Amino acid sequence: MAGSSMNLKKYLVRALHRLQKGPGYTYKELLVWYCDNTNTHGPKRIIKEGPKKKLVWFFLTLLFASLVFWQWGILINTYLSYNVTSTLSIGFKTMKFPAVTICNANPFKYSEVKPLLRELDRLIEAALERILQPGNSSENGSLPLNLELWNQIPLVLIDEHDKDNPIILDIFETNQTAAANETAMDNRTSESSDTAGGHQLFGGNKTMDNETTEGNQTTAAPAPGNTTSEEKKYKLAVKLCSQQGSDNCTYRNFSSAAQAVTEWYILQSTSILSKVPLHEKIRMGYQAEDMILACLYGAEPCNYKNFTQIYHPDHGNCYIFNWGMDEEALNSSNPGAEFGLKLILDISQQDYIPYLSSAAGARLMLHQQKSFPFLKDQGIYAMAGTETSIGVLVDELERMGYPYSDCTVNGSDVPVQNLYSQYNTSYSIQACLRSCFQTHMVEICGCGHYMFPLPEGVNYCNNEDNPGWAYCYSSLRSSIKQRQICIDSCKETCNDTQYKMTISMADWPSEASEDWIFHILSYERDMSTNVTLDRNGIIKLNIYFQEYNYRTISESAATTIVWLLSSLGGQFGFWMGGSVLCLIEFGEIIIDSLWITIINVISWCKGLKQRRARARYPDVPPTVSELVEAHTNLGFQHEAVGAVGAQALPPEPGTPPPNYDSLRVQPLDTLSPDTDTE
C-alpha cells in the first residue's frame, strides 16, 4: 500500500513538472497556451489581436462552435434513427415452383353433415318463413322446433322507426306486449297473432335498400301507394349475451338480412362442429380422388397422390401441391403456360350447405414451401364453368434486422406461442396474429375458437359448455386494444417471397365440346357411361411463371458509421477549419485541466491540514527534537496539575538542566535486554 502511494506521488510530481514546462499552473495559463498552440482557426486571433478585434473573434469563434455542435447533434440523431433505403434489382434464374393450395369453397358435403345440422336448418327455415311470409306460417304441423338451441344465440328484429327508442322483437317470442304497444302507437287496429312472427321484414315489391314493415299485420304488406307513411323499417340482428337469460347483451346489426342469417348460422354451426372429432370432419369433407380429376405438371402427369392433405377450419379438406415437406421442391424448367401446373377440379356444387356457403368455386393460394396457407386472407376464387389462367411473377423481400427494423428471422424472438407449429410450418405474421388472438380468447373466455389451433389442455368453445362464448368472442374481436397488443407483439419476417398473379378467365368447356369432355371425365372418375358432371361444378386451372425475371427488393442502411464520421468532420472543417488532430489537442487540454484540478485539490487538502495544526498549537508548533526533549528530560516537564500549592507557571527561559539520572550506575539485573552497555 505504501509502494502504491509512492508511485502515485511520483506520477503527480512528473505531471507537475510537465505543466511547469508546458501549459502552466493555472487555468488561465493553460487556456492562453492552448489558444497560442492549437491548429484550430479562431482561438489564435483571440489572444493576438487588439481589444476590439479580440471581442469580434471571440464572438465568431463562439458562434461557429455552436453551429458545429448543433450540426453534430442533427447528424448523430439522424444516424441513431437507423433509416433504410430500398433497392430494386431484377435477376434471372431457374426458380422453384410455388406451393399451390386448393380447397373447395364449401367445407363439408351437405349429405354428410346434414344429420348434425338438421335442427339448425329447421330453425333458420322457420325464422325466414316468419320474416318473409308472416301469413303462411306452417311449422305447427311439423315437428316442434328446438328453441333451446335458438335461445342460446337468437336472431331478433329491431324496429328503428324511433331512433331514440328502438323496439326489439324476438322472432319466436310468444309474448305480445311489445307488439301491442307498437300497434297502439300507430293508432291502428290489427289482428292479434299467437307469435311475434307477424312482422314482415320485406314488402312485397320493395327492394333490399327500402326494407320496410307494417306495424303488427299478420298479412302481407299493403300496396306501397297507400302505406308509405305507416310502414316501419326493421333490421335483423344477432343477440349475444354473456349468459343465457342475462341482461348483459349486445346486438350485432347488419345492413342486410342475408348477412345476419349467414353470421348467425356460422356461429351456431361452429358450436356444433367444435364437438366433432377431427377424423370425422375429414371424412365429411371433399376427398382428393373426387375433387382432383386431372393433373399435369409440365410434361409429366400427376394425380391426387402428389398432393398433401391438411384440414383447414374455413374450407375443410385442402390439398397442397409441391409443399416441400416430405420431398424436394420442384423447379420450373421454363416459363410459359406449357411448363406450369394444369388441374381439372370438381367442386360438386349441388352438395353445398345452403346457409353456410353462399359462394361457389375453388379457393386457391400460392405460397412458399413449408408455410401454412391462410386462404381467407391471401387466397383467390376460381369460378365454376371457367378455365382460369394464372401468370406468376416473383418478388423477394429482404429486410434489415434490428436496429433498422423490428423483423424476425424465424420467430424465435417473438413473445407469442406459435400455435401453427404443430403443422411443422415456418413462421409468418398471419400465424402470429391468429395465435395471439387464440391465446387471449383462452385467457378471457376460457375456451378456444374453432377456426384456430388450440393450445394444450384447452377445448373448443360450444354453447353447452360455454354459454357466453359468442358474446366473449364478439367483444374480443371488436376490441381495438386487443388487436393493438397482437400487432405490437408480432413481427414481420426479415425474408419473404411474394407471388404476384395475373388472372384471366374463359368459359370452359365450350358448348361444342362439353358433351364429350363431361362423358370422359365422368367415366374416368365414376366408371360410368352416364354424365355425372356439369358446368356448375367443373373448374380448369393453369398456373405458370410468366417469365424467369424476378425482382428483389432489399433494404440497406441509409446512414453508416463512415457517413457519420465524414459528415462530422466536414462540418467541423467547414465552420472551424479543424481536423481530427484539433480534437486530439482539445482532448489534451482537458487532461491538463484535470491535472491542474487534482494538484489544486491536493494543495487545498495540505493547507487544510496545516490550518488544523495551527488551531491545535496557537504559537509556532514545536519541532520534533523539542518534543523528544520534553518527553525524556523530567526537569523540563511542567508540574502535575493539582499538586498541593502548585500554580500553573509559564516555562522558564533558557536551557533546561541535564538529566543526571542517566549517569548513575545501576545493577546489571535491572538493565533492559536491548541496552547498549555490553
Side-chain angles (χ1 to χ4, degrees):
M1 192 72 182
S4 301
S5 301
M6 292 297 296
N7 293 333
L8 179 60
K9 184 176 181 181
K10 290 180 180 179
Y11 191 73
L12 294 175
V13 170
R14 291 177 182 176
L16 178 61
H17 289 309
R18 198 191 75 79
L19 290 175
Q20 291 175 353
K21 295 178 181 179
Y25 287 108
T26 63
Y27 295 110
K28 181 178 179 181
E29 293 175 354
L30 181 63
L31 183 60
V32 171
W33 179 86
Y34 171 75
C35 294
D36 192 34
N37 292 275
T38 183
N39 291 317
T40 306
H41 302 309
K44 288 184 178 181
R45 305 298 297 270
I46 295 176
I47 64 173
K48 291 185 177 180
E49 297 294 343
K52 295 182 180 180
K53 286 188 176 182
K54 183 180 295 186
L55 183 62
V56 172
W57 277 105
F58 176 78
F59 174 76
L60 292 176
T61 302
L62 186 62
L63 174 63
F64 292 145
S66 302
L67 288 174
V68 167
F69 286 114
W70 175 58
Q71 291 292 327
W72 280 5
I74 294 176
L75 293 172
I76 294 174
N77 184 62
T78 302
Y79 174 76
L80 294 179
S81 62
Y82 299 110
N83 295 322
V84 297
T85 57
S86 298
T87 304
L88 175 63
S89 59
I90 299 177
F92 180 85
K93 67 177 181 180
T94 300
M95 291 179 290
K96 290 183 178 180
F97 197 77
V100 180
T101 299
I102 56 172
C103 310
N104 202 320
N106 183 61
F108 305 105
K109 292 181 179 180
Y110 189 48
S111 57
E112 298 288 343
V113 77
K114 189 174 182 179
L116 296 173
L117 304 179
R118 181 179 290 112
E119 292 296 331
L120 192 61
D121 292 342
R122 292 183 64 246
L123 278 173
I124 193 62
E125 288 169 0
L128 290 176
E129 185 178 3
R130 285 171 174 265
I131 295 172
L132 300 175
Q133 299 176 356
N136 299 323
S137 179
S138 61
E139 70 270 8
N140 292 332
S142 61
L143 295 176
L145 298 175
N146 184 3
L147 293 182
E148 181 180 356
L149 179 63
W150 173 269
N151 291 330
Q152 290 170 348
I153 305 177
L155 278 172
V156 297
L157 289 173
I158 299 181
D159 176 13
E160 293 187 339
H161 181 264
D162 185 359
K163 295 290 185 180
D164 297 330
N165 299 295
I167 300 175
I168 300 173
L169 302 171
D170 194 327
I171 295 174
F172 291 109
E173 177 109 29
T174 57
N175 187 353
Q176 290 300 302
T177 304
N181 292 339
E182 184 182 347
T183 305
M185 290 173 60
D186 291 329
N187 294 325
R188 301 187 55 199
T189 59
S190 62
E191 185 178 334
S192 178
S193 175
D194 59 340
T195 65
H199 298 275
Q200 182 181 7
L201 181 60
F202 306 114
N205 297 323
K206 299 191 185 310
T207 63
M208 293 290 289
D209 294 334
N210 295 309
E211 299 165 1
T212 57
T213 180
E214 192 176 345
N216 193 30
Q217 293 287 81
T218 58
T219 59
N226 57 5
T227 60
T228 303
S229 60
E230 299 175 355
E231 292 177 349
K232 296 183 178 181
K233 181 176 291 187
Y234 287 84
K235 284 186 178 181
L236 201 59
V238 180
K239 182 180 179 181
L240 303 174
C241 298
S242 58
Q243 293 290 335
Q244 188 172 348
S246 171
D247 294 333
N248 185 19
C249 299
T250 184
Y251 298 86
R252 291 197 61 194
N253 298 331
F254 298 89
S255 59
S256 170
Q259 295 173 330
V261 169
T262 301
E263 182 70 16
W264 177 85
Y265 198 91
I266 289 175
L267 290 174
Q268 293 280 22
S269 62
T270 294
S271 173
I272 295 172
L273 294 171
S274 64
K275 295 179 287 185
V276 179
L278 178 60
H279 68 274
E280 279 296 312
K281 289 184 282 192
I282 293 176
R283 184 190 62 81
M284 293 186 299
Y286 293 85
Q287 306 306 313
E289 56 269 25
D290 299 330
M291 183 176 175
I292 302 172
L293 304 180
C295 176
L296 186 68
Y297 179 69
E300 298 293 330
C302 52
N303 55 36
Y304 69 89
K305 296 180 181 178
N306 298 107
F307 290 75
T308 303
Q309 184 269 336
I310 65 168
Y311 177 77
H312 199 286
D314 290 307
H315 301 285
N317 293 336
C318 293
Y319 303 95
I320 307 178
F321 178 80
N322 196 34
W323 202 13
M325 284 293 186
D326 302 325
E327 54 189 17
E328 190 68 23
L330 300 174
N331 292 324
S332 180
S333 57
N334 281 299
E338 297 180 1
F339 303 95
L341 178 65
K342 300 180 179 65
L343 296 172
I344 298 178
L345 308 176
D346 177 27
I347 61 172
S348 302
Q349 188 177 159
Q350 70 278 2
D351 207 9
Y352 270 35
I353 302 174
Y355 300 107
L356 185 63
S357 304
S358 57
R363 189 76 167 172
L364 63 101
M365 175 182 169
L366 309 183
H367 53 98
Q368 286 182 281
Q369 279 74 29
K370 299 182 180 180
S371 64
F372 190 86
F374 294 95
L375 292 103
K376 196 170 185 179
D377 300 332
Q378 300 172 331
I380 60 173
Y381 279 112
M383 189 169 63
T386 63
E387 178 177 350
T388 303
S389 295
I390 302 174
V392 181
L393 293 174
V394 180
D395 286 345
E396 295 181 353
L397 305 180
E398 299 176 357
R399 301 181 180 91
M400 295 190 69
Y402 182 83
Y404 295 96
S405 68
D406 195 21
C407 69
T408 180
V409 177
N410 54 13
S412 59
D413 55 341
V414 176
V416 177
Q417 180 188 2
N418 185 11
L419 300 179
Y420 289 86
S421 59
Q422 57 185 293
Y423 296 97
N424 295 323
T425 54
S426 58
Y427 171 86
S428 66
I429 190 170
Q430 291 86 2
C432 179
L433 291 174
R434 283 158 179 75
S435 299
C436 179
F437 180 86
Q438 183 76 310
T439 302
H440 287 172
M441 184 161 182
V442 170
E443 293 175 355
I444 298 174
C445 305
C447 57
H449 194 271
Y450 169 72
M451 293 299 174
F452 311 118
L454 280 178
E456 287 189 26
V458 181
N459 296 322
Y460 284 120
C461 298
N462 60 79
N463 293 336
E464 287 75 17
D465 300 331
N466 314 95
W469 78 268
Y471 174 85
C472 181
Y473 165 69
S474 178
S475 302
L476 195 62
R477 187 173 66 171
S478 59
S479 172
I480 298 177
K481 180 181 179 181
Q482 184 275 331
R483 280 180 285 175
Q484 191 60 44
I485 291 174
C486 290
I487 290 173
D488 294 339
S489 301
C490 296
K491 301 179 181 179
E492 287 277 6
T493 53
C494 293
N495 298 310
D496 192 16
T497 301
Q498 296 181 352
Y499 298 98
K500 306 296 183 182
M501 294 177 286
T502 302
I503 303 172
S504 60
M505 290 184 295
D507 287 339
W508 187 87
S510 63
E511 293 182 359
S513 59
E514 67 179 0
D515 184 57
W516 68 268
I517 288 179
F518 288 150
H519 268 92
I520 291 177
L521 294 176
S522 299
Y523 180 79
E524 290 177 343
R525 188 186 69 171
D526 303 324
M527 300 299 294
S528 172
T529 57
N530 297 325
V531 176
T532 58
L533 301 173
D534 56 37
R535 181 177 294 275
N536 292 329
I538 207 78
I539 298 173
K540 186 176 182 181
L541 295 175
N542 296 325
I543 304 170
Y544 56 91
F545 282 120
Q546 285 183 303
E547 54 188 23
Y548 271 175
N549 291 339
Y550 67 95
R551 300 188 305 174
T552 301
I553 303 173
S554 58
E555 293 181 348
S556 59
T559 56
T560 61
I561 190 64
V562 176
W563 171 88
L564 178 63
L565 293 177
S566 61
S567 299
L568 294 177
Q571 293 296 326
F572 188 40
F574 178 75
W575 295 108
M576 298 288 292
S579 62
V580 177
L581 294 177
C582 297
L583 296 178
I584 295 175
E585 291 176 352
F586 188 73
E588 180 187 17
I589 203 65
I590 292 176
I591 295 174
D592 291 341
S593 300
L594 291 177
W595 282 125
I596 291 177
T597 303
I598 292 173
I599 293 172
N600 290 338
V601 169
I602 293 174
S603 300
W604 180 81
C605 293
K606 196 173 181 180
L608 180 62
K609 186 177 180 181
Q610 291 176 354
R611 287 194 296 272
R612 288 179 178 176
R614 292 194 190 99
R616 183 177 177 185
Y617 301 98
D619 298 331
V620 178
T623 62
V624 176
S625 59
E626 291 175 343
L627 291 174
V628 172
E629 183 67 20
H631 179 71
T632 57
N633 195 342
L634 297 179
F636 193 66
Q637 301 296 325
H638 301 296
E639 293 185 3
V641 180
V644 180
Q647 295 289 336
L649 298 175
E652 297 180 1
T655 303
N659 187 3
Y660 295 101
D661 291 340
S662 61
L663 300 179
R664 294 177 182 177
V665 180
Q666 297 180 0
L668 292 176
D669 55 354
T670 61
L671 296 176
S672 61
D674 55 349
T675 183
D676 296 332
T677 58
E678 295 181 0

